[in-house]
């Protein structure tokens, strides 16, 4: 069978940074040109050297010794700043989506109308504008329209039904307990269920989360 180049798992050589102005993009796991920001699909010295000599050597070959090292470090810092911004934006988008689902869950649990989502959002935005106005745009991105809450409620319901169906078909299962502490200092007991069905398909799900107040000995945990 013919191998695909993206499955060869070549290792990036740190010496290529100084020789060819290349670094490893940890987000995409590819070789990244610090000069023109182009990614190469294969971390192979021949490809990297050819790219450098064809596109950048006439200008950047003048950098030698300490000057070359400083130039590489400067370009690497620029890359790290760019990657940090991309990562932060991705995390913000993930958190905004998660917040939307968590609020939808609360609305459903209390049997409130789906249209209450916008009322809740307006309350959140007013509080944010008073307490931390610089972050108001982030909270404004939470989608809580009636249609969004309705759709997410259906998705949460389907997820619960699917998980219940999977666990009911388990032939053998086990429970795993994990105790952790949240940001408020309250101990949280996480209960996981893991099992296999007749097709030896493994399923692992978070079954419940319980708050523990006071001591967290083995006896206290088993009491929950």
């Amino acid at each position: 069978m013919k191998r695909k180049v993206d499955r060869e798992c070549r290792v990036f050589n740190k010496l290529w940074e100084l020789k060819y102005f290349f670094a490893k993009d940890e987000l995409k796991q590819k070789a990244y040109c610090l000069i023109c920001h182009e990614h190469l699909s294969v971390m192979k010295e021949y490809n990297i050297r050819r790219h450098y000599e064809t596109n950048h050597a006439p200008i950047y070959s003048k950098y030698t010794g300490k000057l070359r090292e400083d130039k590489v470090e400067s370009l690497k810092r620029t890359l790290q700043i760019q990657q940090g911004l991309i990562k932060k934006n991705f995390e913000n988008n993930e958190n905004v989506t998660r917040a939307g689902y968590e609020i939808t869950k609360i609305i459903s649990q209390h049997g409130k109308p789906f249209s209450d989502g916008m009322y809740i959002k307006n309350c959140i935005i007013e509080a944010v504008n008073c307490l931390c106005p610089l972050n108001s745009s982030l909270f404004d991105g939470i989608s809580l329209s009636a249609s969004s809450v309705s759709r997410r409620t259906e998705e949460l319901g389907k997820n619960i039904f699917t998980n219940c169906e999977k666990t009911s078909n388990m032939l053998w299962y086990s429970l795993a307990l994990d105790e952790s502490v949240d940001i408020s200092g309250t101990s949280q007991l996480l209960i996981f269920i893991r099992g296999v069905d007749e097709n030896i398909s493994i399923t692992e799900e978070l079954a419940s989360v319980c708050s523990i107040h006071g001591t967290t000995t083995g006896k206290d945990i088993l009491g929950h």
Side-chain angles (χ1 to χ4, degrees), residues 158-173 193-198 201-205:
K158 289 179 181 178
N159 182 259
I160 294 173
F161 178 80
T162 301
N163 291 338
C164 290
E165 190 175 38
K166 287 181 179 179
T167 54
S168 64
N169 291 331
M170 290 180 181
L171 297 180
W172 300 277
Y173 70 91
I193 182 170
R194 188 180 190 187
V196 295
D197 58 20
E198 59 183 5
S201 177
I202 300 175
T203 299
E204 181 175 294
E205 294 291 343

Side-chain angles (χ1 to χ4, degrees), residues 50-79:
R50 184 179 63 179
H51 175 89
Y52 171 73
E53 292 178 348
T54 302
N55 300 285
H56 309 302
I59 298 177
Y60 284 83
S61 58
K62 65 181 180 182
Y63 293 97
T64 58
K66 185 66 167 56
L67 187 62
R68 191 177 184 88
E69 293 177 5
D70 292 342
K71 187 63 176 179
V72 169
E73 289 302 318
S74 175
L75 292 172
K76 284 175 63 179
R77 283 194 297 271
T78 301
L79 171 62

Side-chain angles (χ1 to χ4, degrees), residues 20-33:
Y20 310 119
F21 286 89
F22 262 81
K24 182 181 179 181
D25 188 334
E26 297 294 343
L27 296 177
K28 296 185 177 181
Q29 292 296 307
K30 293 182 178 181
Y32 178 86
C33 178

